[in-house]
Amino acid sequence: MNRVICGVDVSKGWLDAYIRPSGTFERFSNDAAGIGALAALCRAENVELVVMEASGGYERTAFLLLWEMGIACALANPRHVRRFAEAMGFLEKTDRIDAAVIAHYAEAKRLSALPPPKAEQIRLSALMTRLSQVTNDLTVQRQRRSAARDQQSVASLNEVIALLVRQSRSLEGEIASMIDDDPLWACLNRAFRSVKGVADRTVARLMAELPEIGRISNKAIAKLAGLAPIANDSGKRAGHRPVRGGRSGPRAILFLVGAIAARHDPHLAAFQQRLQSQGKPKMVVRIALARKLLVILNAKARDARREFEYAT
């Protein structure tokens, strides 16, 4: 028997809901009142799951409030939904069509409810996002200062840089305090830091953007980070296996830390040397090192979680 699923197309101002299989469609404002009305409709229609796309943060309030109201929710990848729509022949794009396609995709994919993260996890992710923004802004301002010739422009840039440096240090301190104050995170922090080369930013990035680490298999964690090779075979042809998708933040920092860790860890160094001696391209070596490091960290996180659960 098919489930009753509500697909919600999210925008800044509106929530367009389509309930499958009844075909009910309604539009609500993307605020507390509108979300409450959407929850009432879902109860009246006996909706089992509300599915919305990850829409750059516009879906966050609806997702969290619906869970608080006892409505199970899940998130769908927008690119996957769009390709599903095209495969089903929906070349048109309207809010009603998008909401209906989301519901159809959720049914075909058999999506399950995704419980919301804890408040501490949300705050840590927000702080890490802001720290990344400040770091990127610092890079841009320093580049501008190096190219500036006018003394007044340099002085102005120095003021902005000083402000960004203060914000960066403040954010780093808040993140470190959050990790130290949480017993499980403190345990994971010690486990990660046992690998030379892994420092504050790497630990915070993994905890904020890859909270599944230590809870799922090595293959699954590599896929989440976009470090798992994708099969590309057909008949007798064995094609090049690229990596694609995944979470860009953890992947980017693992690229950097993988090379650093290989300087200190003899096993990683031997692994890198073996790949290089086989004539593997530099990018292939970087990806393989990052994946190897992630597997090591995943194993350490798994052991740390078990020790923590046993101790508590």
Side-chain angles (χ1 to χ4, degrees):
M1 183 176 178
N2 291 335
R3 294 181 297 171
V4 180
I5 297 176
C6 178
V8 180
D9 183 54
V10 181
S11 63
K12 184 177 181 180
W14 301 103
L15 300 170
D16 294 286
Y18 181 95
I19 297 177
R20 183 183 176 90
S22 69
T24 302
F25 174 79
E26 287 194 34
R27 166 172 278 193
F28 305 93
S29 57
N30 192 358
D31 54 25
I35 295 166
L38 172 59
L41 174 66
C42 290
R43 293 192 190 98
E45 294 277 345
N46 296 316
V47 169
E48 299 172 52
L49 182 67
V50 173
V51 182
M52 57 193 79
E53 294 176 320
S55 303
Y58 291 136
E59 81 290 347
R60 188 174 297 120
T61 301
F63 181 82
L64 295 174
L65 285 181
L66 285 172
W67 268 108
E68 288 181 9
M69 296 174 188
I71 308 295
C73 299
L75 295 176
N77 186 308
R79 183 176 62 183
H80 295 173
V81 174
R82 189 64 235 154
R83 290 183 175 177
F84 177 81
E86 293 171 355
M88 297 301 293
F90 291 102
L91 303 182
E92 307 90 342
K93 193 177 189 324
T94 67
D95 296 330
R96 182 182 184 123
I97 290 174
D98 287 350
V101 167
I102 291 170
H104 193 179
Y105 171 81
E107 181 184 42
K109 189 70 174 176
R110 296 182 180 178
L111 291 184
S112 56
L114 176 69
K118 295 180 180 179
E120 294 82 2
Q121 183 69 50
I122 294 174
R123 182 165 180 262
L124 179 62
S125 298
L127 290 175
M128 272 307 303
T129 298
R130 181 54 191 155
L131 180 57
S132 297
Q133 293 169 348
V134 170
T135 301
N136 292 336
D137 289 344
L138 263 172
T139 300
V140 171
Q141 298 303 323
R142 283 167 173 161
Q143 289 173 343
R144 289 174 177 170
R145 183 177 62 181
S146 66
R149 295 294 176 266
D150 178 69
Q151 290 301 314
Q152 188 173 356
S153 298
V154 172
S156 175
L157 288 165
N158 282 336
E159 289 182 13
V160 175
I161 290 170
L163 171 63
L164 292 172
V165 167
R166 287 197 300 272
Q167 288 194 359
S168 177
R169 290 173 179 169
S170 175
L171 289 165
E172 288 174 347
E174 287 187 58
I175 291 168
S177 296
M178 284 194 70
I179 293 173
D180 289 341
D181 292 342
D182 187 285
L184 175 58
W185 284 351
C187 186
L188 290 172
N189 183 30
R190 290 191 295 271
F192 291 150
R193 287 176 180 274
S194 66
V195 179
K196 288 188 177 180
V198 175
D200 296 349
R201 292 286 181 106
T202 307
V203 171
R205 178 77 69 180
L206 292 175
M207 291 185 181
E209 299 181 21
L210 209 60
E212 300 88 350
I213 193 164
R215 292 177 176 170
I216 57 179
S217 68
N218 293 336
K219 288 184 178 180
I221 200 73
K223 190 172 183 180
L224 274 181
L227 292 170
I230 299 172
N232 183 25
D233 303 336
S234 179
K236 295 182 179 180
R237 180 182 66 85
H240 171 69
R241 299 193 169 194
V243 294
R244 187 175 63 194
R247 299 175 189 173
S248 59
R251 182 173 61 251
I253 203 162
L254 286 167
F255 279 151
L256 295 173
V257 178
I260 298 171
R263 299 174 193 164
H264 304 284
D265 189 303
H267 298 292
L268 281 174
F271 177 69
Q272 181 183 37
Q273 182 61 40
R274 185 166 67 253
L275 292 176
Q276 291 173 341
S277 64
Q278 292 172 358
K280 300 292 185 182
K282 289 183 179 180
M283 193 60 197
V284 171
V285 176
R286 286 186 69 197
I287 293 170
L289 264 180
R291 182 169 61 249
K292 189 81 168 177
L293 175 60
L294 179 57
V295 167
I296 292 171
L297 294 174
N298 192 49
K300 288 184 176 293
R302 188 182 303 119
D303 293 341
R305 288 182 186 276
R306 287 172 181 169
E307 290 177 9
F308 177 79
E309 290 172 2
Y310 179 77
T312 55

